[in-house]
Structures are given as structure tokens and as C-alpha cells.
Amino acid sequence: MKLKMLAAFAAAAVLTGGLASCGSGDDDNDKGSSAGGAKLSGEYCTIVPLTGHKMSEDMSLDDYIEESRDYYAGVDFKELDFDVSDFEMAEFQSRAKIPNVYKGSYKVKDGKIVFNYKTTTVDNNGEKEVYDVADGVPDDDGSKQARIQAGLVKKMQTLNETGTYYQYVGNRIDFSDRIIAYNILPMVVQNVNGAFKPDEIPVYLYPVDDLICVPTYGTELDGSYKYGKDFTIVYNAMDTCLEDEYSRYNLFQNDSSRNNLKTFIEKQLGSTDDTRIEFSGGKWKWYNSAGELINDGIYKESEEYKGLIALFVTEESANPDEYYISMSPEFLYLSGGEVWLPYMMKAE
């Protein structure tokens, strides 16, 4: 039974929840050993549900996954759906109760999904309006509808220049204006502030095993991962800020800003050298290059998606922060020696 649970979705439509080679065109999956290795088909939903409901410390990760799927089962739109070489996706505008629906074709190239947007369907006071990118930008007749149509057609045209996703992806904490601390959780992407990204900033989605992910920066798996066993992630906060291709990279393009960032990270982490996050028995410990503890917490592993983990900062952490505690967990996905930011999973 489909229920309409849309009112709470608009404000939380881009939160992270968490695919593969299919679609039209030639595939060239060289992003990494994991990307592009599965087959894109059917519906996908975010790991964090559109309501923004967070995972609690006492939940198992697999129970949370099922809860997210249950949320999605109650909506009457498709977050992201693949059918042979075509796609359909939903986008919420600010305060909107009904999403805009994009349709078009796609391919997988260089390990990432390349979207070709063709139409957008919008709700105009209960009436469905379909705007086709092939019709071009309409003449401005001064009406609100013409302005909306022109904006959406221009947006599709801009997105088609890069074939990228229409909004950006991050952990819950990445969406905050309070990303000023580098010593509480290892932030593996540096997103721009605000609920939606500027269209000119590219965000590519990658099929990784059975999930849809985005890359992380400044991270690597030291050794291999096996469910239930100890493992270690190497993390460099400076590299994250300078290498992230779709976020705050524009803030660190001159020597002055890079030097300020370097000083800031050195004060919090002791240096800009690599740090290590060691995982064992449900607890993680984060050490700087001098072997000093930066912070610690707990983590959960998924048995369904082996390699999917959730990191929590808790009140018992060495460096607790109430805001980060309330926004935890941070989700990561480990596959083929690489660390990914998981975004979507199969809806069924």
C-alpha cells in the first residue's frame, strides 16, 4: 500500500543513505577496482531515509537499512530508477510536497553514471506540466510558469554538459555550517554549505558492488576488510580538503588559503601527516602521526552489505561534541581496498 509521506521530505531530500555497468554507450570502468562492477536495474533509495530519520547507537545497521526501505515503500515516487538505458529520479524543491521528476537516458563511463536529462515533470497547482529540454528555453512572457520552465530547462542543459547528478551527496554532518572541527570525525568529503549544490559543481555517482556511492578523498584502506575482523583506515584531512573535486575545492586554490588550512589542521591534529583509524570489536580509535589519540567511538557493520559501516561519536568518546553526537553516524563503504561514501541501495 502506497502512502503519501511527503511533507517532511523536502527539507531532508539530499541526506545520505548510501550499482553498475548498464545503460547506453561504452563502459570504461577505470575509477577503481570496485566501481562499475554491478548491474543497474530497478529502484534505489537513500540509506538515510528522506525523512532524515537517523540511526541510533543501539540499532543494528541491517535493521536500519530495513527501516529505510520501509520508509521508501510508503512513498508514491521513485528516488532513482533504472530501466535498461533510461532513468527516472525525483527532486524536491524547497518546501515542496510533490517532487519534480526528471527522466532521460544514462550510461556508465569511467566507472561513473553519466546522466542525459530529457524532461522534467512538475506539479503546477495540481496539474502536471512536462518541460522538454529539446524545446529549448521558452520566451519570457513575464509569468511565473515561464520563469520556472526556463530555470528547469537551463538546469537540464547545464547538467547535460557534464552528465552529473543534480544535487550533492554527503554524510549528515557534511550538510552543517559547523564543519569547523577536524578532530571529532574523519570528514571524508568537504561539501559546500546549504541544502543544494550550485549546478556548476559536478557530482558523479558511482556503481560500487550493489550500492551507489561517491568517492572519498584523503582516505585508503590499510590492508583489506573482512566482516567482523579488525581493520584500519588511513586518513589525511589536508588531502581531503584539497582533492575533493566537487565541494569546497574552490576555497583552497591560493597559497594563503592553503596555508591557513594547514595551520588550522596542525592545531587540531598535530600535523598534516597521515592519521590512522583503527577498528576492532565494535570500537574505533583515531590516532595522529605521533600515535596520540584524537578521538574514539563505536561502529556498526552490515552483514547484508559487507563493508558498509556506521561510525558514531558518543558521550563516552575522548573528544565528545553534542552536535556531532546528535548528527552521528557517519557512513562509509569499504570495497576493493577503497573507501567510498555510500548514498543509495536497492529499494527491495
Side-chain angles (χ1 to χ4, degrees), residues 3-236:
L3 302 175
K4 292 187 177 181
M5 301 187 299
L6 301 176
F9 292 165
V14 293
L15 293 179
T16 296
L19 317 185
S21 170
C22 185
S24 60
D26 296 330
D27 293 345
D28 183 13
N29 301 316
D30 60 1
K31 163 64 183 175
S33 59
S34 306
K39 185 176 182 180
L40 289 168
S41 63
E43 295 183 42
Y44 292 80
C45 62
T46 49
I47 293 173
V48 174
L50 290 176
T51 58
H53 177 71
K54 71 183 292 288
M55 176 182 171
S56 62
E57 296 176 20
D58 59 353
M59 289 186 71
S60 77
L61 184 44
D62 288 325
D63 285 346
Y64 182 70
I65 287 172
E66 285 307 310
E67 188 174 283
S68 294
R69 287 192 177 119
D70 288 343
Y71 276 114
Y72 182 71
V75 304
D76 58 359
F77 59 86
K78 299 176 181 179
E79 279 195 77
L80 184 57
D81 179 63
F82 296 98
D83 181 11
V84 190
S85 62
D86 297 324
F87 75 86
E88 178 179 327
M89 64 170 71
E91 175 199 25
F92 279 96
Q93 296 292 319
S94 178
R95 298 186 179 89
K97 295 183 179 181
I98 300 176
N100 295 339
V101 176
Y102 289 100
K103 293 184 179 181
S105 62
Y106 77 96
K107 61 184 177 181
V108 177
K109 183 176 177 60
D110 298 331
K112 58 199 174 192
I113 307 169
V114 179
F115 295 101
N116 178 34
Y117 299 81
K118 296 180 180 178
T119 66
T120 306
T121 301
V122 303
D123 181 80
N124 183 17
N125 296 321
E127 298 292 330
K128 298 294 184 183
E129 299 279 353
V130 179
Y131 304 144
D132 194 322
V133 70
D135 294 336
V137 179
D139 295 332
D140 185 2
D141 61 7
S143 68
K144 179 180 179 181
Q145 182 178 347
R147 290 195 301 271
I148 292 173
Q149 182 176 353
L152 287 171
V153 170
K154 288 179 181 178
K155 183 172 186 177
M156 287 190 289
Q157 291 174 337
T158 300
L159 289 167
N160 284 346
E161 292 176 2
T162 56
T164 52
Y165 193 53
Y166 63 83
Q167 56 196 24
Y168 71 101
V169 179
N171 288 295
R172 291 168 56 89
I173 300 167
D174 289 311
F175 291 91
S176 169
D177 292 338
R178 294 183 58 181
I179 304 302
I180 57 175
Y182 292 87
N183 58 353
I184 301 174
L185 271 175
M187 305 314 300
V188 294
V189 298
Q190 290 291 312
N191 275 309
V192 293
N193 292 332
F196 294 93
K197 73 173 185 66
D199 289 339
E200 66 271 14
I201 295 181
V203 173
Y204 288 102
L205 302 182
Y206 289 75
V208 184
D209 303 326
D210 292 324
L211 298 174
I212 293 179
C213 304
V214 297
T216 63
Y217 299 85
T219 61
E220 64 178 345
L221 186 60
D222 184 8
S224 60
Y225 170 83
K226 188 174 182 179
Y227 176 78
K229 302 295 184 181
D230 297 353
F231 62 97
T232 298
I233 293 175
V234 177
Y235 168 67
N236 189 297

Side-chain angles (χ1 to χ4, degrees), residues 182 237-238 241-242 248-266 272:
Y182 292 87
M238 188 78 173
C241 293
L242 297 182
R248 289 183 177 173
Y249 66 91
N250 59 316
L251 299 182
F252 309 114
Q253 292 304 295
N254 58 64
D255 290 340
S256 175
S257 63
R258 283 193 293 269
N259 288 336
N260 289 339
L261 174 66
K262 182 175 183 292
T263 299
F264 193 64
I265 291 176
E266 286 175 340
T272 56

